[in-house]
DNA sequence: GTCGTGAATGCAACTGAGTCGCAACTGATG
DNA sequence: CATCAGTTGCGACTCAGTTGCATTCACGAC
């Protein structure tokens, strides 16, 4: 349950010579345990439930750190939920975000096509992908079934 | 060269019962003739070269209209060039944006994998894609060649 | 052509995400 | 435990994007 128990994020930080402060540990924990995608405001709110003194600027600075370190991915989820950015822990399996504007649901989908795409980009363009973001907008199964009957 | 000559955007608007005002015609023309991707501020600046009285609010309202009408796609280009959104005319061929943080170049890449992806999403999830956005971050050919020698 | 009307515009004030400078504090290291 | 560069909290700031409202305009009816 704690980040230090799971290890990787905190370890990755200290490996990069980044100081592990109380605030960073807390933010990592919140990100790790979040059920869905969080934006900066939600991350701040959640963190303040544990440490009410943590500041907005710290959240932004930490997110920036995690982004450039490749530990967290920044998404906007097709602006289905708002204009802000959302953040998620970077995982090993690349995945696609599916957003349905009708019900507002964001789901995830894993497919080898993501890997194939980065390979094709490398083969045909000589472009070495370090990160890939795929967001699909459309009508989810539940909504299309509800529409038909 | 003019939007009305090319037709589709302006036509598509009037088909939807959307009034074709002087300002909208101008914005469509600018978008159509733009060499790369424009953000709202750049679009405003470019439009003001022709009509100095056009307002920021009109630009945002028009972009919103074009987005929801599916005539324009909104991108953030992995925030390589800034935190704002960028806009491009929606075309028939789906394409992928390749962004290189080292040189700041955004290039485009067409591949059947985009179509395959939307088909796989439909087959495996029952999700009917209406729009798809793929942004790849990585090292472009020029930069990796420059690095090696 | 001109008229009437609802839609669109310009303007100015506002909201809220994200940034920055700085003084106070603190985690890692010896 | 002393040191100090890196980090935090704070408050002020920037700027993208929105909104309410009075004025203007596109466009169909006549």
């Amino acid at each position: 349950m704690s980040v230090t128990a799971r290890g990787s994020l905190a370890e990755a930080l200290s490996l990069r010579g980044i100081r592990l402060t109380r605030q960073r540990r807390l933010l990592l924990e919140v990100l790790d345990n979040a059920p869905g995608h969080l934006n900066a405001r939600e991350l701040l709110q959640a963190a303040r439930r544990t440490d009410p003194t943590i500041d907005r600027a710290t959240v932004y600075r930490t997110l920036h750190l995690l982004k450039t370190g490749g530990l967290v991915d920044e998404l906007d989820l097709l602006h289905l939920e708002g204009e802000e950015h959302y953040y998620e822990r970077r995982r090993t399996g690349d995945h696609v975000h599916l957003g349905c504007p009708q019900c507002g649901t964001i789901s995830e989908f894993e497919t080898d096509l993501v890997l194939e795409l980065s390979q094709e980009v490398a083969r045909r363009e000589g472009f070495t992908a370090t990160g890939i973001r795929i967001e699909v907008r459309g009508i989810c199964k539940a909504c299309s079934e509800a529409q038909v009957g």
Side-chain angles (χ1 to χ4, degrees), chain A:
Chain A
M1 72 204 254
S2 81
V3 169
T4 41
R6 285 210 202 159
S8 50
L9 257 182
E11 263 170 38
L13 277 189
S14 59
L15 278 177
R16 286 156 211 250
I18 296 173
R19 226 180 254 182
L20 190 56
T21 65
R22 177 171 47 88
Q23 293 89 341
R24 286 180 186 162
R25 191 191 309 270
L26 172 57
L27 290 172
L28 296 179
E29 220 164 290
V30 171
L31 268 181
D32 251 9
N33 296 327
H37 303 98
L38 296 178
N39 61 25
R41 182 175 38 80
E42 291 163 345
L43 178 57
L44 174 63
Q45 281 173 357
R48 279 198 165 154
R49 269 178 238 129
T50 301
D51 174 3
T53 71
I54 196 169
D55 194 72
R56 211 169 12 133
T58 302
V59 170
Y60 285 113
R61 286 188 280 232
T62 302
L63 282 175
H64 192 74
L65 205 70
L66 298 174
K67 261 191 315 188
T68 54
L71 297 171
V72 153
D73 283 321
E74 185 183 64
L75 316 163
D76 62 22
L77 300 180
L78 298 163
H79 300 301
L80 252 48
E81 305 182 345
E83 288 297 311
E84 324 82 37
H85 295 132
Y86 293 82
Y87 299 90
E88 72 177 5
R89 172 89 192 262
R90 179 175 292 188
R91 289 169 284 165
T92 44
D94 277 317
H95 59 284
V96 175
H97 289 99
L98 308 178
C100 175
Q102 259 173 63
C103 60
T105 305
I106 304 283
S107 57
E108 296 184 356
F109 179 72
E110 295 209 10
T111 165
D112 293 340
L113 286 174
V114 181
L115 182 60
E116 275 181 50
L117 179 62
S118 68
Q119 286 168 348
E120 182 160 341
V121 159
R123 194 173 60 244
R124 279 179 42 204
E125 294 283 315
F127 189 97
T128 310
T130 58
I132 189 163
R133 182 164 88 178
I134 305 186
E135 298 178 326
V136 184
R137 176 192 294 268
I139 302 161
C140 71
K141 193 175 183 179
C143 280
S144 60
E145 279 171 359
Q147 256 171 315
V148 180

